[in-house]
Amino acid sequence: MNTSESAENYLETILILSRCKPVVRSVDIAEELGFKKSSVSVAMKNLREKNHITVTREGFIYLTESGKEIADMIYERHELLSEWLTRLGVDPKIAAEDACRIEHVISKESFDAIKRHIN
């Protein structure tokens, strides 16, 4: 599962938006991330070509099995690392920002070790 940080962020955003919206569209992603719709359109094309998402004729975006797997992994890392850093006394806003950077570069082995340690 070799994806870029940018692709992982988009997939995670689609996952999060899909939990609170009946459908996810490019405009929703652009709004959430503060990006131009044209930039999001290019990213959606790339994700579609890699079979991480499907897009209906109406423009509704859905995660495929591989896209959901990546999004779930990144989201789990983000949540656990944010919570862990906050428990260590880091300001919640800083913890969330740091977790967002760490979640993309940490190895599975290191993340699993942190997860075991926390639980």
Side-chain angles (χ1 to χ4, degrees):
M1 220 179 333
N2 194 6
T3 55
S4 70
E5 180 177 336
S6 174
E8 289 173 350
N9 279 334
Y10 277 111
L11 293 168
E12 181 183 26
T13 300
I14 294 166
L15 176 71
I16 292 167
L17 289 172
S18 71
R19 291 180 175 177
C20 60
K21 290 183 171 286
V23 293
V24 177
R25 301 163 302 145
S26 288
V27 68
D28 301 319
I29 298 166
E31 217 172 78
E32 180 70 20
L33 297 174
F35 295 163
K36 292 179 183 174
K37 192 173 180 309
S38 58
S39 299
V40 173
S41 292
V42 170
M44 293 307 103
K45 179 180 181 262
N46 291 336
L47 291 174
R48 197 173 57 250
E49 288 173 352
K50 291 180 180 171
N51 295 315
H52 293 318
I53 63 168
T54 59
V55 182
T56 67
R57 283 182 299 161
E58 297 84 5
F60 303 153
I61 300 167
Y62 297 97
L63 294 170
T64 62
E65 191 174 315
S66 68
K68 183 159 178 11
E69 186 179 325
I70 295 166
D72 284 339
M73 175 195 67
I74 294 299
Y75 185 72
E76 177 191 24
R77 288 177 175 195
H78 182 85
E79 290 296 297
L80 188 128
L81 292 167
S82 291
E83 182 182 327
W84 181 52
L85 291 169
T86 301
R87 277 199 230 157
L88 291 173
V90 177
D91 176 88
K93 185 178 184 315
I94 293 170
E97 291 169 359
D98 287 346
C100 197
R101 286 189 291 276
I102 296 167
E103 69 195 26
H104 301 287
V105 296
I106 193 168
S107 70
K108 181 177 177 0
E109 182 181 358
S110 293
F111 179 74
D112 288 345
I114 291 170
K115 196 165 140 178
R116 280 192 307 276
H117 178 75
I118 291 171
N119 296 330

